[in-house]
Amino acid sequence: MDGAVRSVTGKVLALLGAFTPANPELTLSELARRSGISLATAHRRVAELTAWGALERGADGRYRIGLRLWEVASLAPRGLGLREAAMPFLEDLYEVTHENVQLAVRAGFELVFVERITGRKAVPVLTRVGGRFVLHATGVGLVLLAHAPAEVQEEVLSAPLRAYTGKTITSPARLREVLAAVRRRGYAVSDGQVTIDAVSVAAPIAGRSGEIIAAVSLVVRAGNVPPSVLAPLVQTAARGIGRSLGHQPGARV
Amino acid sequence: MDGAVRSVTGKVLALLGAFTPANPELTLSELARRSGISLATAHRRVAELTAWGALERGADGRYRIGLRLWEVASLAPRGLGLREAAMPFLEDLYEVTHENVQLAVRAGFELVFVERITGRKAVPVLTRVGGRFVLHATGVGLVLLAHAPAEVQEEVLSAPLRAYTGKTITSPARLREVLAAVRRRGYAVSDGQVTIDAVSVAAPIAGRSGEIIAAVSLVVRAGNVPPSVLAPLVQTAARGIGRSLGHQPGARV
């Protein structure tokens, strides 16, 4: 069935894409089922992927993503490349505040967390490095959405906006105003919009061309510090990261 | 030429494997040449990989590893999975010492750095997250080699041992003694064996089954603190990481 429909490359990618944060370990038959490939074909492809190191087989017979794929993927400029440039500034933010520090990029209509430093005593947050989240709720998400192409904004604004708390913005008109304010002020505040006890302050990071390529945030317990006090700290870190990525300050941000 | 020799899966993996730390951005013809695939075939496969997000094409026409591959690869248990479990303990080590903290796993006859926290004022180190290094020189490498299967040790001991400084161990007999001492004492010291001004103290991390699956180290400027003072700190962190991975203390480490 799958032979005519999908190319071999498509099957290989479907096998890799079968792994998700909720299912990081899969048996061969789960892999076949989740990727829509016959068991016989999956068997052959998985053997090749395992021999190369893209997958690893545990003692329990389940497959996992292999270290070699992780090594190659670590070359992604929007993954670890960005992270390496950002890390000294994220560490500075963490040292000064001992709060949660997050770094995210936009992937389509969602964001992906590229780095996270979690304070031991800081307010708990829902994020995972490599994990995805909606754009309209978090501080980093609001920054990335505010600077996304118009068609991405329209798509997000026209879809239902999920409420995580009573404070999550679910009105497209209100969200439009908030995004305009984010662009005007140069930072975003998400106050209880993801979890009711957390406030996030986020700022945009400009790449070499001046385009916004990422966002950085501090996430603190609600009521601890006014967002206006945290904003300069986060904005300074964002500028530092942009500079180390080759952005010329004084340009668009 | 390549059609008969390599499967399509092999070609896809060769295209991904063409990206290296020294060459993280490649044109289509470089990709074809480095992976030994005809330009026409490379063109088709690269288009499929780009459509899925395994590769990204920059404004300059060069290809890079894509964010989607990085997301999938972040599920590797020996990559970010280990990193997530280890991060709180690595941060504690960094907070207490403000020195370089490293986390590594073995990949065949080499090690791969999974995490690194670099002190701003700490001694410079040669490592990169996702990067490889030999086993016989660094602290983490000596720990991983000391706990590697016998055939891995024999292979490393029988190959030429590259000297990074005058202090690098290049005698197989001497290296055998050092590895025995690492197993006996429970930690490794690399004193000026990679760069002359740096001392590394590393300890083994046990996984759920009691097997050594990773190593953690502190790298400080030579002469600052005696390694025997740093060892308990690193060993405690290693035990904490092992425990959070499900290792039952009192077992093999």
Side-chain angles (χ1 to χ4, degrees):
Chain A
M1 184 193 88
D2 50 80
V5 178
R6 252 192 301 183
S7 70
V8 176
T9 307
K11 286 177 201 163
V12 168
L13 294 172
L15 285 169
L16 295 179
F19 294 89
T20 63
N23 297 282
E25 305 185 353
L26 298 168
T27 64
L28 185 64
S29 56
E30 285 167 343
L31 260 169
R33 188 167 40 75
R34 292 174 62 93
S35 52
I37 293 174
S38 74
L39 195 59
T41 303
H43 184 75
R44 271 201 310 280
R45 304 284 167 245
V46 165
E48 288 179 286
L49 290 168
T50 305
W52 190 79
L55 300 181
E56 289 175 357
R57 187 163 180 272
D60 58 358
R62 286 166 175 270
Y63 291 89
R64 298 143 174 107
I65 296 292
L67 191 67
R68 178 138 179 221
L69 191 69
W70 181 80
E71 287 181 66
V72 168
S74 75
L75 301 171
R78 293 211 294 155
L80 283 177
L82 170 62
R83 177 201 174 278
E84 289 284 293
M87 200 62 186
F89 298 95
L90 305 183
E91 279 163 11
D92 287 350
L93 270 184
Y94 176 71
E95 288 255 356
V96 170
T97 64
H98 286 86
E99 301 284 1
N100 302 295
V101 180
Q102 304 188 324
L103 178 71
V105 299
R106 186 172 60 79
F109 305 118
E110 296 179 301
L111 64 82
V112 174
F113 289 104
V114 171
E115 185 50 89
R116 187 194 63 168
I117 304 181
T118 309
R120 279 282 189 106
K121 295 175 201 159
V123 63
V125 288
L126 296 177
T127 60
R128 186 186 69 81
V129 172
R132 285 182 172 242
F133 211 78
V134 299
L135 290 172
H136 71 275
T138 62
V140 282
L142 291 170
V143 164
L144 294 170
L145 186 55
H147 294 277
E151 62 274 20
V152 172
Q153 294 187 9
E154 290 313 316
E155 180 73 30
V156 170
L157 286 160
S158 65
L161 298 167
R162 178 176 162 191
Y164 291 85
T165 70
K167 289 176 130 185
T168 311
I169 301 166
T170 55
S171 145
R174 173 79 190 109
L175 185 53
R176 243 180 246 281
E177 288 169 15
V178 167
L179 296 179
V182 169
R183 285 188 294 268
R184 203 167 53 238
R185 281 190 312 205
Y187 67 90
V189 177
S190 165
D191 185 351
Q193 287 152 237
V194 181
T195 47
I196 201 70
D197 56 350
V199 176
S200 163
V201 180
I205 297 168
R208 190 186 299 263
S209 66
E211 244 183 303
I212 301 306
I213 57 150
V216 58
S217 70
L218 268 176
V219 187
V220 307
R221 194 173 293 279
N224 271 13
V225 193
S228 58
V229 173
L230 296 174
L233 206 54
V234 181
Q235 287 176 297
T236 310
R239 280 170 175 266
I241 298 167
R243 207 161 44 239
S244 77
L245 288 168
H247 175 61
Q248 302 295 323
R252 279 181 38 193
V253 182
Chain B
M1 184 193 86
D2 51 79
V5 178
R6 253 193 302 186
S7 70
V8 176
T9 307
K11 285 176 202 164
V12 168
L13 294 172
L15 285 168
L16 295 180
F19 294 90
T20 63
N23 296 284
E25 306 186 352
L26 297 169
T27 64
L28 184 63
S29 55
E30 285 167 343
L31 260 168
R33 188 168 38 77
R34 292 174 61 94
S35 52
I37 293 173
S38 74
L39 196 61
T41 304
H43 185 76
R44 272 202 309 280
R45 304 287 167 242
V46 164
E48 290 179 285
L49 289 168
T50 305
W52 189 81
L55 299 181
E56 289 175 358
R57 187 164 181 274
D60 57 0
R62 286 165 176 269
Y63 291 89
R64 298 143 175 106
I65 296 291
L67 192 67
R68 179 140 178 222
L69 192 69
W70 181 81
E71 287 181 67
V72 168
S74 76
L75 301 170
R78 295 211 293 155
L80 282 177
L82 169 63
R83 179 201 173 276
E84 288 285 291
M87 201 61 184
F89 298 94
L90 304 184
E91 280 163 9
D92 287 350
L93 270 184
Y94 176 71
E95 289 257 356
V96 170
T97 64
H98 287 86
E99 302 285 0
N100 301 295
V101 180
Q102 305 188 322
L103 178 70
V105 299
R106 187 172 58 80
F109 306 118
E110 295 179 300
L111 63 82
V112 174
F113 289 104
V114 171
E115 184 52 90
R116 188 195 63 169
I117 304 181
T118 308
R120 278 286 187 102
K121 294 176 202 156
V123 62
V125 288
L126 296 177
T127 62
R128 186 187 69 81
V129 172
R132 287 183 170 239
F133 211 76
V134 299
L135 290 172
H136 71 276
T138 62
V140 283
L142 290 171
V143 163
L144 294 169
L145 186 56
H147 294 277
E151 62 273 20
V152 172
Q153 294 188 9
E154 291 312 317
E155 180 73 27
V156 170
L157 286 160
S158 66
L161 299 166
R162 179 178 161 188
Y164 290 86
T165 69
K167 288 176 131 186
T168 310
I169 301 167
T170 54
S171 146
R174 174 80 191 112
L175 185 53
R176 242 181 247 281
E177 288 169 17
V178 166
L179 296 178
V182 168
R183 285 188 295 267
R184 203 168 53 238
R185 282 190 313 207
Y187 66 91
V189 177
S190 164
D191 184 351
Q193 288 153 235
V194 180
T195 47
I196 201 68
D197 56 350
V199 175
S200 162
V201 179
I205 297 168
R208 191 187 298 266
S209 65
E211 245 181 305
I212 302 307
I213 57 149
V216 57
S217 70
L218 269 175
V219 186
V220 306
R221 195 173 292 280
N224 271 12
V225 193
S228 58
V229 173
L230 297 174
L233 206 56
V234 181
Q235 286 177 298
T236 310
R239 281 170 173 267
I241 298 167
R243 209 163 41 241
S244 79
L245 289 168
H247 176 61
Q248 302 296 321
R252 279 184 34 196
V253 181

